[in-house]
């Protein structure tokens, strides 16, 4: 593979013989990582919402989505086109979106850089990227967000280069329209483009005016969605769990977006982390230095810098929203800036070594994640099986909130769905609501979901002490009944307790 520095953007007249075979290999590996044992891991809490929304009638779908206020509908509408009924089928749309994203990265690299070797390199980088792999295996909109952010960026760069055909303008407008209806963080792309215009507007005034018109048209569906949502009586935006970031979070985010982050630093990933830092650092330095002659590279820089800095500052001074999965909108910029870094390494062997390190290490990280089961964030399936295996007719369920109950009911057989209650019912934070069962209950299955939600980690979260004070109300209840605990089972992200409550709830239903 050749990673020579090029300044001329020109597509080769004919690809090398190995290009087609290399592309097929990249796509096969990428697809395999995204569909292998796709249904093994239990759904996690966010995925249960996806399942609820796509199974609802269209009217209920809109109402349910707007009650939370954090989501826009496009990805979930696409999911409704697929059959449901299993974890695999629920996640398959994301896997297919991830595969299309890999193919699109390769095609965009060829169109923008005219170098088939670089295209294969960045395609392989995307195929094994742990963040992209993980979100291509979950029933969430982030694989589609990546795809649309890349597509919008491609059309913008074609227009920037002077290829302002009606087809490119239509593609740019429609891609943005779909982007904004996939995730609110899609608005970070026009932010980056607007900042770029601040540096080049003198020579692009006409283009800038047409860009504004295109953005207005693209934003109409989102505006209608927001107006309808704001007319509702209650809109609960569920991002209160997100902590305020520190400066170290920026470094961890870039670490996560290159070789993957799980909270540890084993020596095996150090070479990949170093290579990623060199590739990304050189890409940033050279795109900033050549900003007058290389508008494409300068755009990738701002697509990374603008969303990252704006989100960081808003999270510090206003409402925290710093979560790595939201930043998948600028993952294409990270990948292409690393490509720029390879281009500017004059030694061919050194450039190849950097590329191989940032491809092989993430591949190993991803395979190890699967092999150790770290891709399973919350094992609700095992929790439900434990309850079913020891249930009695007068048992009750206790969870902290209805969302945990929704998770349990997904896996519990219909005859195992005991009388249930939850601790939080819209009262003040940390103030327990009254526990009421419809019938007498002698034993309670208390199910406690991991309260730790690290915005950098994607799979399994750190273990937790269920009796330690936290923002959850479950530790208080467990400590009050600690001597009555008959059984404790620990699973990924979930702990199950069987508690003999004596006569505490025997008067229920009177």
């Amino acid at each position: 593979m050749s990673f020579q520095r090029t300044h001329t953007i020109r597509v080769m007249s004919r690809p090398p013989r190995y290009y087609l075979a290399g592309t097929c290999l990249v796509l096969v590996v990428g697809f395999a990582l995204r569909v292998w044992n796709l249904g093994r891991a239990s759904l996690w809490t966010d995925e249960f919402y996806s399942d609820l929304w796509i199974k609802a009638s269209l009217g209920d779908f809109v109402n349910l989505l707007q009650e939370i206020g954090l989501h826009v509908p496009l990805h979930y509408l696409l999911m409704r086109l697929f059959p449901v009924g299993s974890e695999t089928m629920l996640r398959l749309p994301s896997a297919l979106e991830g595969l299309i994203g890999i193919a699109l990265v390769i095609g965009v690299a060829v169109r923008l850089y005219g170098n088939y070797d670089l295209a294969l390199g960045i395609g392989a980088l995307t195929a094994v990227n742990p963040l992209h792999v993980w979100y291509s295996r979950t029933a969430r909109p982030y694989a589609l967000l990546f795809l649309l952010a890349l597509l919008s960026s491609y059309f913008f760069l074609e227009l920037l280069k002077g290829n302002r055909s009606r087809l490119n303008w239509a593609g740019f407008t429609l891609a943005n329209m779909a982007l904004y209806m996939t995730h609110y963080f899609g608005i970070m792309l026009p932010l980056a483009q607007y900042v770029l215009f601040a540096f080049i507007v003198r020579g692009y005034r006409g283009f800038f005016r047409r860009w504004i018109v295109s953005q207005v048209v693209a934003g109409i569906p989102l505006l209608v969605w927001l107006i309808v949502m704001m007319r509702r009586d209650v809109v609960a935006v569920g991002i209160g769990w997100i902590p305020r970031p520190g400066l170290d979070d920026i470094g961890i985010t870039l670490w996560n977006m290159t070789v993957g982050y799980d909270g540890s630093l084993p020596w095996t990933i150090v070479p990949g982390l170093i290579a990623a830092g060199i590739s990304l650092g050189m890409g940033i330095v050279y795109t900033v230095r050549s900003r007058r002659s290389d508008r494409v590279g300068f755009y990738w820089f701002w697509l990374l810098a603008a969303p990252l800095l704006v989100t960081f500052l808003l999270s510090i001074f206003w409402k925290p929203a710093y979560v790595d999965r939201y930043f998948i909108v600028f993952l294409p910029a990270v990948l292409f800036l690393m490509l720029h870094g390879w281009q500017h390494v004059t030694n061919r062997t050194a450039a190849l070594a950097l590329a191989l390190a940032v491809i092989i290490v993430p591949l190993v990280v991803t395979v190890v994640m699967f092999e150790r089961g770290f891709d399973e964030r919350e094992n609700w399936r095992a929790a439900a099986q434990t309850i079913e295996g020891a249930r009695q007719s007068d048992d009750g369920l206790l969870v902290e909130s209805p969302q945990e109950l929704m998770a349990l009911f997904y896996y519990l057989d219909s005859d195992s769905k005991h009388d249930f209650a939850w601790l939080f019912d819209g009262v003040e934070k940390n103030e327990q609501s009254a526990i009421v069962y419809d019938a007498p209950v002698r034993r309670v299955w208390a199910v406690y979901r991991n309260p730790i939600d690290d915005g950098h980690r994607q799979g399994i979260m750190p273990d937790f002490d269920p009796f330690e004070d936290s923002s959850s109300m479950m530790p208080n209840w467990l400590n009050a009944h600690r001597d009555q605990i008959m059984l404790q089972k620990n699973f990924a992200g979930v702990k199950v307790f069987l508690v003999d409550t004596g006569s505490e709830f025997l008067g229920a239903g009177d």
Side-chain angles (χ1 to χ4, degrees):
M1 297 174 71
S2 174
F3 295 103
Q4 295 179 350
R5 179 179 176 182
T6 59
H7 293 288
T8 303
I9 307 302
R10 179 177 59 84
V11 177
M12 297 178 182
S13 58
R14 180 178 298 176
R17 293 181 179 179
Y18 55 81
Y19 174 72
L20 180 59
T23 299
C24 290
L25 178 61
V26 168
L27 293 176
V28 167
V29 171
F31 192 56
L33 291 175
R34 285 155 179 79
V35 299
W36 180 79
N37 224 353
L38 187 58
R40 183 198 65 81
S42 168
L43 300 180
W44 61 291
T45 304
D46 285 7
E47 290 182 296
F48 289 112
Y49 282 109
S50 300
D51 179 73
L52 173 67
W53 295 334
I54 66 172
K55 288 179 178 177
S57 67
L58 191 59
D60 289 341
F61 163 78
V62 173
N63 290 332
L64 289 169
L65 209 60
Q66 291 194 337
E67 281 178 359
I68 294 180
L70 192 59
H71 304 278
V72 279
L74 180 59
H75 179 258
Y76 305 105
L77 286 172
L78 294 177
M79 289 180 68
R80 294 171 69 92
L81 302 177
F82 289 76
V84 295
S86 69
E87 293 92 337
T88 299
M89 295 309 300
L90 190 66
R91 293 164 172 160
L92 186 59
S94 292
L96 295 176
E97 291 160 0
L99 178 65
I100 296 171
I102 300 169
L104 187 61
V105 162
I106 296 173
V108 168
V110 170
R111 293 286 301 175
L112 294 180
Y113 296 90
N115 188 315
Y116 290 98
D117 292 335
L118 285 173
L120 287 177
I122 196 170
L125 193 62
T126 309
V128 301
N129 183 272
L131 194 70
H132 193 269
V133 169
W134 205 86
Y135 280 108
S136 297
R137 294 175 59 88
T138 58
R140 305 298 288 164
Y142 301 103
L144 181 60
L145 181 63
F146 171 90
L147 192 162
L148 292 172
L150 178 61
L151 190 62
S152 172
S153 296
Y154 166 72
F155 281 118
F156 175 75
L157 292 172
E158 284 292 312
L159 294 168
L160 185 67
K161 289 159 50 182
N163 301 327
R164 295 169 195 163
S165 65
R166 291 182 179 179
L167 182 62
N168 281 337
W169 275 114
F172 179 63
T173 304
L174 292 174
N176 284 331
M177 191 177 293
L179 178 68
Y180 306 152
M181 293 301 290
T182 298
H183 198 281
Y184 291 124
F185 256 66
I187 63 174
M188 291 298 177
L189 262 76
L191 170 65
Q193 293 162 12
Y194 184 81
V195 173
L196 179 66
F197 275 119
F199 290 87
I200 65 173
V201 70
R202 289 185 179 179
Y204 294 87
R205 294 187 186 278
F207 176 38
F208 179 60
R209 287 192 292 269
R210 294 188 67 182
W211 175 85
I212 291 177
V213 173
S214 174
Q215 294 291 353
V216 170
V217 173
I220 290 174
L222 178 60
L223 180 62
V224 172
W225 176 264
L226 291 174
I227 290 173
V228 173
M229 185 176 67
M230 293 305 174
R231 291 172 65 88
R232 300 182 59 90
D233 293 333
V234 178
V235 176
V237 179
I239 60 174
W241 61 271
I242 304 175
R244 296 194 185 278
L247 288 174
D248 59 320
D249 285 290
I250 294 178
I252 296 175
T253 293
L254 297 177
W255 171 353
N256 197 16
M257 302 188 84
T258 51
V259 299
Y261 173 80
D262 66 358
S264 64
L265 182 59
W267 68 268
T268 50
I269 76 164
V270 171
L273 192 58
I274 293 173
I278 293 172
S279 302
L280 184 58
M282 290 184 65
I284 291 173
V285 168
Y286 283 107
T287 53
V288 172
R289 283 183 177 178
S290 58
R291 58 188 178 275
R292 295 185 183 277
S293 59
D294 184 6
R295 302 299 193 196
V296 171
F298 200 38
Y299 168 72
W300 295 128
F301 167 75
W302 280 115
L303 182 56
L304 167 62
L308 188 61
L309 293 177
V310 168
T311 305
F312 180 82
L313 293 175
L314 288 176
S315 298
I316 291 293
F317 297 107
W318 186 50
K319 194 173 187 65
Y322 193 101
V323 182
D324 283 3
R325 61 177 176 264
Y326 299 164
F327 294 143
I328 205 168
V329 73
F330 66 69
L331 181 58
V334 173
L335 301 174
F336 276 99
L337 285 170
M338 292 172 70
L339 179 147
H340 276 262
W342 300 342
Q343 279 186 298
H344 288 88
V345 177
T346 54
N347 185 292
R348 180 176 178 272
T349 302
L352 183 59
L354 287 175
L356 289 176
V358 295
I359 291 171
I360 293 174
V361 170
L363 175 61
V364 172
V365 168
T366 301
V367 171
V368 169
M369 177 180 67
F370 292 156
E371 191 248 334
R372 295 182 178 178
F374 289 171
D375 59 317
E376 186 165 52
R377 184 161 178 159
E378 298 165 358
N379 194 348
W380 291 102
R381 185 190 295 117
Q385 290 172 350
T386 297
I387 295 171
E388 286 180 345
R391 66 179 293 268
Q392 294 181 6
S393 58
D394 55 357
D395 286 352
L397 291 173
L398 180 65
V399 294
E400 186 177 42
S401 68
Q403 66 181 11
E404 286 89 18
L405 197 65
M406 177 176 61
L408 277 176
F409 278 8
Y410 183 90
Y411 287 109
L412 284 171
D413 290 337
S414 58
D415 62 347
S416 299
K417 295 179 180 178
H418 313 285
D419 202 355
F420 56 84
W422 53 79
L423 296 173
F424 179 74
D425 194 21
V427 293
E428 293 297 323
K429 187 176 182 180
N430 294 325
E431 183 181 339
Q432 180 178 314
S433 59
I435 300 175
V436 178
Y437 290 101
D438 293 334
V441 168
R442 293 181 181 275
R443 307 190 312 174
V444 167
W445 290 95
V447 183
Y448 187 13
R449 175 177 172 248
N450 193 341
I452 301 172
D453 204 341
D454 189 332
H456 295 297
R457 304 190 195 194
Q458 312 312 316
I460 190 169
M461 292 291 156
D463 196 14
F464 66 103
D465 181 354
F467 303 102
E468 182 181 358
D469 288 340
S470 71
S471 58
S472 170
M473 289 174 286
M474 186 61 77
N476 293 333
W477 192 89
L478 289 173
N479 280 310
H481 298 80
R482 195 161 187 171
D483 294 338
Q484 300 163 266
I485 295 175
M486 305 167 60
L487 175 70
Q488 176 180 341
K489 291 287 187 179
N490 302 323
F491 307 104
V494 183
K495 296 186 187 294
V496 178
F497 301 85
L498 176 59
V499 183
D500 183 352
T501 53
S503 60
E504 183 174 352
F505 302 118
L506 287 182
D510 293 345

